[in-house]
Amino acid sequence: MKTEIRTMVLDALRTAFEKGLLPSDQVPEFEVETPKYEGQGDFSTNIAMVSAKLQKMAPAKIAERLVASMSDSTHTPLGRVLEKTEVAGPGFINFFLSPGAWHPVVDQVLNQDRSFGASEMGAGERVQVEFVSANPTGPLHVGHGRGAAVGDAVGNILSFAGFNVQKEYYINDSGRQIRTLGTSVWLRLQQMQGTPVDFPQDCYQGDYIRDIAQELLDTRGKDLADTDEKQGIEICARFAAGKILAGIRSDLDDFGVRFDNWFSEQSLYDSGRVQTAIENFKEKDLIYEKDGALWFRTEKFGDEKDRVVVRNNGLTTYFASDIAYHDEKFERGFDRVIDVWGADHHGYIKRIDAAVVATGRQSEQFDVILVQLVNLLRDGNPVQMSTRAGEFVTLKDIVDEVGKDAARFMFLSRSYDSGLDFDLELAKKKSADNPVYYVQYVHARITGILNKAKEEGLIDQTDFNVGINLKKLVAEEELKLIKQVAGFREQVEKSAQTLHPHVIFTYLMTLAAAFHAYYNHHKVIMADKPLSLARLSLVLAVKKVIRNGLALLGVSAPERM
């Protein structure tokens, strides 16, 4: 509808110019928005205010002349259902539509079904979203869970908005952390065999390390006993990383997160891409030698200082493989790359951006989503972490306790650039206080209404496709509900544009509130059969939009609760 309002405004501008009411037919950048407050119409535009300089006229006078010209501007279907326009404030033009303007929305939802709300905004642009990418040195914790929910939802929303999306997990299976993992398991294994060992503080100390060591002992005890330390550590590292990565895959699968591609960091070294990237930048004088190390000129691209890519002991840094990895991403044909990181990686953005720009790409082709921390609560009180070194609340713990749907919905309930209080007890409540229950219950309740209508012979099936008697939907709550449904696509596009999935969360909460307000005031099934059929069409449309919105967040839409 905003598109049609925009067309009406442009027609009015052209008409006003042709009649000599306005001196210019130039079109400035202007907005058509949904007003925040009731009484200000269904839509509003600021075209008069942004045209003041062009027209050399007061905004209110421009607005009046545009409104006067709109009676001749009925080139759109919307023009025939426009009840009135008014000039408000310093020059806003407010549009009030008749109920008949909104009724086709119900038909659109029923006919488009799962594609309702989808957009072609992305125009097929190839986008890669890389997220989680936790080191395979331990199980996923609650912070990884929020990052997983955000990355997965961003990918879903972009895809629904017309982008060609690939979701990827980058496996950090090379370097110091893997060697430390192998050392940690090796030392625990030695302790289990009765060898006195000093366990370094920088080694991984969780119970999962002991469990992996025990499994190795049970399966390869004698072989390992005869192995020298260097080879033993390597064996332990490979076994432990594989074991932990399998657990990560399983936990993510239970969380409803599935990747299109799992990319190995080690493959960058095996293929020689890391060394090639370094040599290419050397030739461009972007990598230079200093104090026996190799440095990348990241300061030249806006970083606070240059960064080491190869240490003076000959070992590459993580930055070196990240340079090669991001170059490889773009070589695969992606137009845009989005990385989802923890907030503690903020200082890393500039150097990766520098690496991207240095390969000839634009900075705008690289985005980073920084996900803030999660504070776990139970009935409003902080959850106490274990004092044992290496112990933490895992994603599996959260999913096992509150379920996938509640976990994902709560993780996405606030903007990722704000800290999140996650109350475990609230997430389990079967009441309107629990956001996921509040929204899912709408879907389940409407299913119950449709089943009852079928039992009473009002409808033949619970998922009919054509709206019936929609002109009877004139109650205030009905129109509010239809308007909320009509705004779904706009919220999808806003979420895709800003990369903020909590926009969809907020929309679903608002739609659920509108349904509850409607249902509390009006019966759906009643003696008046034509009105009942119209209302059944409306609630079915709401059900489909709730389902579509929840799907974008990776949350199910249950038929009963």
Side-chain angles (χ1 to χ4, degrees):
M1 287 193 185
K2 282 189 177 181
T3 301
E4 294 190 19
I5 290 287
R6 180 176 287 273
T7 300
M8 288 178 64
V9 170
L10 294 173
D11 284 349
L13 176 63
R14 186 164 47 250
T15 300
F17 171 72
E18 290 171 354
K19 287 185 172 183
L21 297 175
L22 293 176
S24 173
D25 63 349
Q26 290 188 55
V27 181
E29 288 291 328
F30 69 97
E31 300 291 335
V32 175
E33 296 182 324
T34 304
K36 293 182 180 179
Y37 303 103
E38 290 187 32
Q40 294 181 340
D42 296 304
F43 298 100
S44 180
T45 181
N46 66 344
I47 188 170
M49 288 177 288
V50 297
S51 297
K53 285 186 177 180
L54 283 172
Q55 305 292 355
K56 296 180 174 57
M57 191 180 296
K61 186 172 288 189
I62 297 171
E64 289 170 0
R65 296 185 179 191
L66 287 172
V67 168
S69 302
M70 282 182 190
S71 59
D72 298 323
S73 304
T74 55
H75 298 94
T76 71
L78 205 54
R80 294 188 289 274
V81 288
L82 185 64
E83 278 194 341
K84 67 174 182 175
T85 55
E86 66 177 21
V87 178
F92 286 104
I93 303 175
N94 295 337
F95 300 84
F96 296 79
L97 307 185
S98 69
W102 297 102
H103 295 150
V105 172
V106 176
D107 266 331
Q108 289 172 15
V109 179
L110 300 186
N111 291 325
Q112 293 175 21
D113 197 17
R114 292 183 185 274
S115 65
F116 181 79
S119 168
E120 296 178 359
M121 183 179 80
E125 179 181 332
R126 294 196 66 201
V127 179
Q128 187 214 53
V129 184
E130 181 231 316
F131 58 104
V132 185
S133 299
N135 296 337
T137 54
L140 298 177
H141 55 62
V142 64
H144 292 133
R146 190 181 190 192
V150 168
D152 197 43
V154 165
N156 294 342
I157 292 162
L158 287 174
S159 181
F160 202 57
F163 294 86
N164 182 356
V165 179
Q166 184 191 74
K167 301 174 186 176
E168 181 155 298
Y169 188 114
Y170 180 56
I171 308 168
N172 301 108
D173 54 357
S174 178
R176 179 177 55 82
Q177 79 276 8
I178 296 298
R179 292 191 295 273
T180 302
L181 174 66
T183 301
S184 304
V185 174
W186 173 259
L187 292 177
R188 286 297 183 213
L189 192 145
Q190 298 303 311
Q191 286 181 336
M192 291 175 177
Q193 291 180 312
T195 303
V197 171
D198 289 329
F199 207 83
Q201 284 296 316
D202 62 346
C203 282
Y204 300 106
Q205 302 182 45
D207 284 348
Y208 67 95
I209 296 294
R210 194 181 301 275
D211 294 340
I212 292 171
Q214 185 62 59
E215 186 173 347
L216 265 171
L217 268 179
D218 293 341
T219 56
R220 299 192 55 176
K222 188 173 186 307
D223 290 344
L224 281 177
D226 298 334
T227 303
D228 65 63
E229 181 173 327
K230 183 178 180 181
Q231 185 180 359
I233 290 174
E234 186 178 335
I235 291 170
C236 289
R238 284 201 305 269
F239 180 84
K243 185 81 177 175
I244 292 169
L245 186 60
I248 288 173
R249 285 177 181 262
S250 176
D251 290 348
L252 288 170
D253 192 61
D254 291 342
F255 195 49
V257 174
R258 291 165 184 83
F259 291 92
D260 300 305
N261 193 41
W262 294 71
F263 191 96
S264 163
E265 178 187 10
Q266 184 60 46
S267 70
L268 294 169
Y269 289 96
D270 295 342
S271 65
R273 289 196 69 98
V274 175
Q275 191 58 39
T276 298
I278 291 172
E279 293 302 323
N280 287 342
F281 282 146
K282 274 185 179 180
E283 291 176 7
K284 296 178 181 179
D285 194 31
L286 293 175
I287 288 181
Y288 63 94
E289 187 174 349
K290 175 186 171 184
D291 300 329
L294 294 181
W295 299 70
F296 188 103
R297 297 185 191 277
T298 46
E299 189 175 2
K300 177 180 178 180
F301 297 91
D303 198 5
E304 62 184 21
K305 61 182 181 180
D306 292 347
R307 306 290 178 174
V308 175
V309 290
V310 181
R311 299 184 182 92
N312 54 17
N313 60 5
L315 295 177
T316 54
T317 62
Y318 295 135
F319 183 35
S321 54
D322 281 337
I323 291 171
Y325 177 44
H326 284 80
D327 186 38
E328 195 276 346
K329 289 185 184 191
F330 285 108
E331 284 193 5
R332 276 187 263 162
F334 293 111
D335 303 301
R336 185 178 174 197
V337 164
I338 301 169
D339 290 358
V340 181
W341 299 345
D344 56 337
H345 286 74
H346 180 271
Y348 214 73
I349 297 176
K350 280 290 186 183
R351 70 189 74 174
I352 300 298
D353 185 69
V356 169
V357 173
T359 59
R361 281 94 186 187
Q362 300 298 312
S363 182
E364 292 76 18
Q365 292 179 265
F366 173 63
D367 288 297
V368 176
I369 291 172
L370 291 176
V371 181
Q372 295 292 330
L373 296 174
V374 178
N375 303 310
L376 274 185
L377 307 175
R378 192 177 296 280
D379 279 333
N381 300 310
V383 172
Q384 296 298 317
M385 300 293 184
S386 170
T387 57
R388 291 179 297 166
E391 293 301 304
F392 45 81
V393 178
T394 67
L395 174 59
K396 186 177 188 305
D397 294 333
I398 301 296
V399 173
D400 287 348
E401 181 165 353
V402 307
K404 170 186 77 73
D405 287 345
R408 290 185 67 128
F409 208 62
M410 295 295 277
F411 280 137
L412 297 170
S413 62
R414 291 198 70 189
S415 171
Y416 50 69
D417 48 23
S418 299
L420 174 68
D421 290 335
F422 188 129
D423 195 307
L424 294 165
E425 294 304 318
L426 174 62
K428 292 187 290 186
K429 282 186 178 179
K430 297 187 182 302
S431 74
D433 294 331
N434 179 359
V436 69
Y437 185 87
Y438 185 70
V439 174
Q440 286 182 322
Y441 187 66
V442 172
H443 190 272
R445 168 159 272 183
I446 293 173
T447 300
I449 293 169
L450 294 169
N451 285 333
K452 184 179 179 184
K454 184 180 178 183
E455 290 169 6
E456 296 187 6
L458 269 173
I459 53 178
D460 295 330
Q461 55 187 4
T462 58
D463 197 12
F464 48 96
N465 293 320
V466 180
I468 304 171
N469 306 315
L470 297 178
K471 64 184 178 181
K472 289 186 169 289
L473 300 176
V474 294
E476 180 181 353
E477 292 82 9
E478 288 169 338
L479 294 176
K480 281 185 178 180
L481 197 51
I482 298 174
K483 290 174 186 179
Q484 284 295 329
V485 166
F488 181 45
R489 174 173 169 168
E490 180 183 354
Q491 296 306 307
V492 169
E493 292 184 342
K494 178 181 176 182
S495 183
Q497 187 175 27
T498 62
L499 303 180
H500 274 290
H502 81 278
V503 168
I504 303 300
F505 169 90
T506 303
Y507 170 79
L508 290 172
M509 293 292 289
T510 304
L511 178 58
F515 171 81
H516 289 305
Y518 169 66
Y519 193 72
N520 289 337
H521 282 83
H522 303 281
K523 287 185 177 181
V524 175
I525 299 174
M526 61 189 74
D528 185 340
K529 183 175 179 180
L531 181 56
S532 294
L533 291 172
R535 289 180 172 176
L536 286 167
S537 296
L538 172 58
V539 298
L540 176 58
V542 172
K543 177 184 176 183
K544 289 178 182 292
V545 173
I546 290 282
R547 176 204 61 202
N548 290 0
L550 287 172
L552 295 179
L553 304 185
V555 177
S556 70
E559 296 291 315
R560 59 169 61 92
M561 294 178 70

